[in-house]
Amino acid sequence: KITGNMLQATVPTNAGSGPVVVSLPGTVFVSATDFTVLPLINGFTPGSNSTPACTVTIGGAGFIDVRAVRFNGVDAVFTLLSPNSIKAVLPSSALSGPITVVTGSGSAQSSNRFQVVPALRLLSPASGPVGSIVTICGPGLRGATGVRFNGTPAVFAPVGNDTLIATVPPNATSGKVEVSSPSGLLLSATAFAVVPAITEVLPLAGEAGRAVTVRGTSFGGATKVLFGAVSAPFTLTSNNLIQTTVPLAATNAFIRVITPAGTALSLAPFAVTPQIKSVSPAQGTNGARIAISGAGLATTTNVAFNGVTAWFTNLSATNLWAVVPSNALSGPITLTTDSGTIFSSDSFLVLPAIRSFAPTGGVAGARITLLGSGFTGAWKVQFNGIDAGFSVDSSSQVQATVPANATSGPLSVFTDGGLGKSAGSFKILPFINGFSPASGPAGTQVSVQGTGLAGATAVAFGQIASTFKVLGPDVITATVPTGATNAPIRVTTPAGTAASPAAFLVAPTLISVAPLRGSSGTKVQINGTGLAGATGVQFNGVNAPFAQVTASGLSVTVPSNALSGVIRVVTLVGTVSSSNRFAVLPVLG
């Protein structure tokens, strides 16, 4: 509007500070100084609220270069919608009072107060056990006179105009929190959950079956007690006391009490003391797999047989497998776990085991090596039940001497742990030490001495089989067979054949001479035994040529100068004479 030399103009809603420009026909006027556009608040909506982070829309003008929006001096997060509108978020700590908008040109304050309705805006945490500290925030808490958790009075203290802290009281139950203040009775929008808590466990360690007392708070309605993941039987004695028992499969773990209001956790893990209840079998050889059952075995880190560490597999808290180590000795089994070391009540007996022996056969006096395990402390070695001399080289090796009267059969090693027997039989090879007499004619009874002769199946003088009788493992009587020659005596058993170190000398005998008379040049047949080694034939002392010599006969020619008399046959064993005289007939000319 122009009046004389004065022009009036309305500041536009979107105007910003700066020079004023007046345009006239033919000319333009610019003010020498800048016009400052100040912000203006016309109103806001809503006019009151108690909800944290509620949105308030502020209307007005000059909202250009907005730098701050404050609710009674408390900065708020805002969004500039237009030069005429701002959207701001009510700060959680705001109190009732005017709203201020600050721009680069100045500030504007609402003529009306924004009313912050007293309310509990925040419980932190929203749940906890008796004795825990809860922070309560919201406007109108200044001068609070009381705090109650679902009706149970609590100790509290202010920490600011809009904040106080309270301690969850004993016997509190889940429900809303109430604060009495000059502004009225303030009630939390959501319920505070009173969760159970474990304050003490006695004892802190024990074996399966041990009674345990659990103290705490808010155990009411408890539905389960767990040692780790393993359920345990329990009795709810009171809201603050539970009696329970360590379950068989329990491991080192926290104790948990589960209630409808939540779960309580013990302050420290319960240590399950390990137990060995059974060992099966209670004896075995090195390398045998042994089942150990008990309780608290889940954290087993070492298994030892009388101090010797063994390989093992942990199957569960109540079972494991262990392998008897190669150098183990009889004694208790030891288990080491995270909770300690325990010993089996009974000793495990390590049985000796014969896995091989060499040689697999031999004569009395031979040295035999037995290989196996569990030989330490061996106090007897037997060959098919006959005690033998021996020495223990190590837990896996024994040297033994074949006893003189041993027979073929299994070998045995005796220890304090028990008896170990070979799967196969050791063969006692026959051996002939000697015989008597050293010589004799066919039909002579010869005693053959040696070892391993029991079970003899044949006796021969050289290649000629003989009748015989076994008197024991070390002696046989045999009859010199007809046709026998000077040769070793051989005894055959299922384990083999032995030959005498010296030959039996068969003494010669003359059975018949034919003819008993004849002239020089006559062929005479002499039959007998032991004749194979004949070195000479004589007619009454006169040597005669002979041939076709066998053990039972020879052919001789009457010499030209022979005289009537006995015929003698000379052998290495001796000389034998005919029982009848040979008559030398004159040669007819």
Side-chain angles (χ1 to χ4, degrees):
K1 180 180 181 180
I2 300 175
T3 305
N5 294 327
M6 183 178 292
L7 183 139
Q8 292 181 330
T10 301
V11 181
T13 58
N14 58 346
S17 299
V20 177
V21 179
V22 178
S23 298
L24 296 174
T27 185
V28 174
F29 295 95
V30 179
S31 64
T33 59
D34 288 344
F35 179 84
T36 300
V37 178
L38 298 175
L40 173 67
I41 298 176
N42 293 330
F44 48 81
T45 183
S48 65
N49 211 310
S50 63
T51 306
C54 75
T55 301
V56 179
T57 301
I58 305 168
F63 295 158
I64 297 175
D65 189 22
V66 177
R67 299 182 180 182
V69 174
R70 298 186 178 101
F71 285 74
N72 197 15
V74 180
D75 285 336
V77 177
F78 67 92
T79 301
L80 181 63
L81 303 178
S82 72
N84 305 318
S85 180
I86 295 174
K87 182 178 289 186
V89 178
L90 177 64
S92 62
S93 59
L95 300 176
S96 297
I99 297 175
T100 301
V101 175
V102 180
T103 71
S105 301
S107 64
Q109 191 175 77
S110 66
S111 58
N112 297 325
R113 290 164 58 88
F114 183 88
Q115 289 297 123
V116 178
V117 179
L120 300 185
R121 292 182 177 172
L122 180 66
L123 299 177
S124 180
S127 63
V130 169
S132 61
I133 303 299
V134 180
T135 299
I136 304 172
C137 299
L141 298 182
R142 182 182 301 173
T145 58
V147 174
R148 289 178 295 278
F149 283 75
N150 199 23
T152 303
V155 176
F156 71 97
V159 293
N161 291 331
D162 59 352
T163 304
L164 57 83
I165 58 173
T167 302
V168 182
N171 300 318
T173 57
S174 298
K176 292 190 176 183
V177 177
E178 302 172 357
V179 177
S180 298
S181 74
S183 301
L185 182 63
L186 308 180
L187 191 66
S188 62
T190 59
F192 180 85
V194 179
V195 298
I198 297 174
T199 58
E200 184 180 41
V201 174
L202 291 176
L204 293 174
E207 69 282 359
R210 180 73 177 270
V212 176
T213 299
V214 181
R215 301 183 189 277
T217 58
S218 304
F219 289 160
T223 58
K224 187 175 290 187
V225 173
L226 301 171
F227 283 69
V230 182
S231 294
F234 72 96
T235 300
L236 181 62
T237 304
S238 71
N239 192 54
N240 302 323
L241 183 64
I242 285 177
Q243 299 290 346
T244 185
T245 303
V246 182
L248 181 64
T251 60
N252 295 346
F254 290 90
I255 296 176
R256 293 184 294 155
V257 175
I258 298 177
T259 74
T263 299
L265 192 68
S266 61
L267 300 177
F270 184 87
V272 179
T273 303
Q275 292 176 282
I276 297 176
K277 294 183 179 295
S278 67
V279 175
S280 180
Q283 59 185 24
T285 61
N286 300 123
R289 191 172 71 164
I290 307 302
I292 301 174
S293 65
L297 308 184
T299 61
T300 300
T301 57
N302 186 73
V303 177
F305 285 71
N306 199 14
V308 181
T309 298
W311 179 89
F312 71 96
T313 298
N314 203 328
L315 302 177
S316 67
T318 57
N319 291 281
L320 60 81
W321 288 106
V323 176
V324 183
S326 60
N327 55 342
L329 302 176
S330 296
I333 296 176
T334 305
L335 298 186
T336 302
T337 73
D338 290 349
S339 300
T341 299
I342 54 173
F343 298 84
S344 61
S345 57
D346 297 320
S347 289
F348 180 86
L349 298 180
V350 178
L351 301 177
I354 301 174
R355 310 203 187 283
S356 66
F357 50 86
T360 57
V363 299
R367 195 72 169 166
I368 309 302
T369 300
L370 288 72
L371 300 178
S373 60
F375 293 155
T376 301
W379 49 272
K380 183 162 64 175
V381 174
Q382 289 185 336
F383 283 70
N384 199 22
I386 305 300
D387 291 350
F390 69 95
S391 63
V392 179
D393 298 336
S394 68
S395 64
S396 59
Q397 181 171 303
V398 165
Q399 299 280 345
T401 302
V402 182
N405 55 343
T407 57
S408 297
L411 305 182
S412 301
V413 174
F414 294 80
T415 70
D416 290 340
L419 162 67
K421 184 174 288 189
S422 64
S425 291
F426 180 85
K427 292 184 179 180
I428 301 295
L429 302 179
F431 179 75
I432 299 175
N433 294 325
F435 51 84
S436 63
S439 63
T444 301
Q445 292 290 308
V446 179
S447 176
V448 182
Q449 298 87 34
T451 59
L453 305 182
T457 58
V459 175
F461 286 70
Q463 299 299 319
I464 309 300
S466 167
T467 58
F468 66 95
K469 183 177 182 180
V470 178
L471 301 182
D474 55 356
V475 62
I476 288 177
T477 59
T479 302
V480 180
T482 300
T485 61
N486 298 340
I489 299 173
R490 294 186 302 132
V491 175
T492 300
T493 73
T497 298
S500 61
F504 180 84
L505 301 179
V506 180
T509 60
L510 293 185
I511 298 174
S512 65
V513 176
L516 285 175
R517 62 181 61 198
S519 59
S520 174
T522 301
K523 297 292 186 180
V524 178
Q525 180 65 37
I526 301 175
N527 296 321
T529 62
L531 304 181
T535 58
V537 178
Q538 298 174 347
F539 282 74
N540 197 13
V542 178
N543 290 326
F546 61 94
Q548 296 180 353
V549 179
T550 66
S552 58
L554 57 82
S555 174
V556 63
T557 301
V558 180
S560 59
N561 55 346
L563 298 175
S564 296
V566 296
I567 298 176
R568 293 185 176 89
V569 177
V570 180
T571 71
L572 295 175
V573 180
T575 301
V576 61
S577 299
S578 62
S579 56
N580 298 316
R581 290 170 56 85
F582 182 85
V584 178
L585 301 177
V587 178
L588 298 178

